[in-house]
Amino acid sequence: MPLIRLFLPSKTFLVMKLTAILLTVTCLQLSAKSFSQSISLSGRNLPLEKVLTTIGKQSGYFFFYKYNELKDAKPVTVQLENVSVQQALEQSLKGQPFRYIIENNTIVISKKDEKEPEKEAPLMDIRGKVTDDKGEPLPGATIRVKGSNQATVADVNGDFSLRNINNNAVIVISYTGFVQQEVPLNNRTQITVSLNEDLQNLSEVVVVGYGTQKKVN
């Protein structure tokens, strides 16, 4: 049986090829147009679901979201005129616990990840004593919390107390003629601080009313 081959005229084939290309370009243009329309919408205290529905109708995008999450959304007040889909979504979701992702012709609305609130450091009352390197109390020594205005002074026995201090605070102790010292609490409620004499400063000469003498004197 002879093999029959069917050949199309070259012009007909060329016309068919051009027609297919034109149809493809037209479909792409229509698709781009349907997903690039500008959005116009205005209203006060509108349900978010209604706003998203309107944006979907005007843009041609499909919305995907969980109804149970969206029903608790805040009312939306918008005044949009010829804005992009992205701008419309930004304005509509402003102040809402939602985010959006655009995937092809679908816009997915989901809840934002809730960050756990930072736990505040526990507050506590502390007591302490300030002495010199020989164990003698230093009455009038200044005790302050680093980075805050909380401060106190030691009594005649060198004792002091501070209330409502963070358990990770740093206490700064200073006294004239002694080296200032910083002490991290590290959850301690009772501390004893021994200050060393500042020999360098004590050797300096200062002016007094009747002449000059060393600080140590």
Side-chain angles (χ1 to χ4, degrees), residues 105-125:
N105 64 336
T106 303
I107 299 175
V108 180
I109 306 294
S110 61
K111 267 197 169 183
K112 293 179 180 178
D113 294 332
E114 296 183 0
K115 294 182 179 180
E116 293 185 4
E118 296 183 1
K119 296 181 179 179
E120 295 184 358
L123 301 180
M124 59 188 187
D125 298 340

Side-chain angles (χ1 to χ4, degrees), residues 33-54:
K33 183 178 179 181
S34 65
F35 295 107
S36 63
Q37 294 177 359
S38 56
I39 307 300
S40 295
L41 173 64
S42 63
R44 295 180 60 84
N45 297 324
L46 302 174
L48 180 57
E49 184 181 5
K50 182 177 180 180
V51 172
L52 297 180
T53 300
T54 302

Side-chain angles (χ1 to χ4, degrees), residues 144 146 170-173 180-184:
R144 63 182 177 86
K146 188 175 183 178
V170 175
I171 304 301
V172 181
I173 299 95
Q180 178 177 285
Q181 191 173 150
E182 295 187 1
V183 181

Side-chain angles (χ1 to χ4, degrees), residues 32-41 54-61 80-88:
K33 183 178 179 181
S34 65
F35 295 107
S36 63
Q37 294 177 359
S38 56
I39 307 300
S40 295
L41 173 64
T54 302
I55 294 174
K57 288 181 179 179
Q58 293 187 21
S59 65
Y61 282 90
L80 308 174
E81 185 174 354
N82 296 326
V83 300
S84 66
V85 174
Q86 288 84 353
Q87 290 174 316

Side-chain angles (χ1 to χ4, degrees), residues 3-195:
L3 180 63
I4 300 176
R5 294 184 180 180
L6 180 63
F7 294 95
L8 293 175
S10 58
K11 289 185 178 181
T12 304
F13 179 74
L14 181 61
V15 170
M16 291 177 63
K17 188 174 181 180
L18 289 174
T19 302
I21 293 173
L22 290 173
L23 287 173
T24 302
V25 172
T26 302
C27 290
L28 290 174
Q29 289 177 340
L30 289 174
S31 177
K33 183 178 179 181
S34 65
F35 295 107
S36 63
Q37 294 177 359
S38 56
I39 307 300
S40 295
L41 173 64
S42 63
R44 295 180 60 84
N45 297 324
L46 302 174
L48 180 57
E49 184 181 5
K50 182 177 180 180
V51 172
L52 297 180
T53 300
T54 302
I55 294 174
K57 288 181 179 179
Q58 293 187 21
S59 65
Y61 282 90
F62 298 98
F63 277 89
F64 178 82
Y65 53 82
K66 294 181 180 179
Y67 175 76
N68 289 336
E69 294 180 351
L70 210 62
K71 68 178 182 179
D72 297 326
K74 301 175 185 177
V76 178
T77 298
V78 289
Q79 185 69 40
L80 308 174
E81 185 174 354
N82 296 326
V83 300
S84 66
V85 174
Q86 288 84 353
Q87 290 174 316
L89 290 170
E90 293 288 346
Q91 291 297 318
S92 302
L93 298 177
K94 188 175 181 180
Q96 301 276 7
F98 302 103
R99 62 182 177 182
Y100 71 90
I101 299 174
I102 299 178
E103 296 180 352
N104 299 323
N105 64 336
T106 303
I107 299 175
V108 180
I109 306 294
S110 61
K111 267 197 169 183
K112 293 179 180 178
D113 294 332
E114 296 183 0
K115 294 182 179 180
E116 293 185 4
E118 296 183 1
K119 296 181 179 179
E120 295 184 358
L123 301 180
M124 59 188 187
D125 298 340
I126 66 168
R127 295 182 180 277
K129 189 179 187 67
V130 183
T131 68
D132 61 13
D133 54 358
K134 299 179 180 63
E136 296 296 324
L138 294 177
T142 301
I143 302 96
R144 63 182 177 86
V145 181
K146 188 175 183 178
S148 76
N149 295 323
Q150 290 176 285
T152 187
V153 293
D155 60 17
V156 292
N157 297 314
D159 297 325
F160 70 90
S161 63
L162 287 167
R163 295 178 59 82
N164 299 325
I165 308 300
N166 286 339
N167 66 339
N168 57 357
V170 175
I171 304 301
V172 181
I173 299 95
S174 58
Y175 190 77
T176 303
F178 288 77
V179 179
Q180 178 177 285
Q181 191 173 150
E182 295 187 1
V183 181
L185 287 180
N186 295 329
N187 292 315
R188 291 180 296 171
T189 59
Q190 189 81 27
I191 60 174
T192 299
V193 182
S194 177
L195 299 182

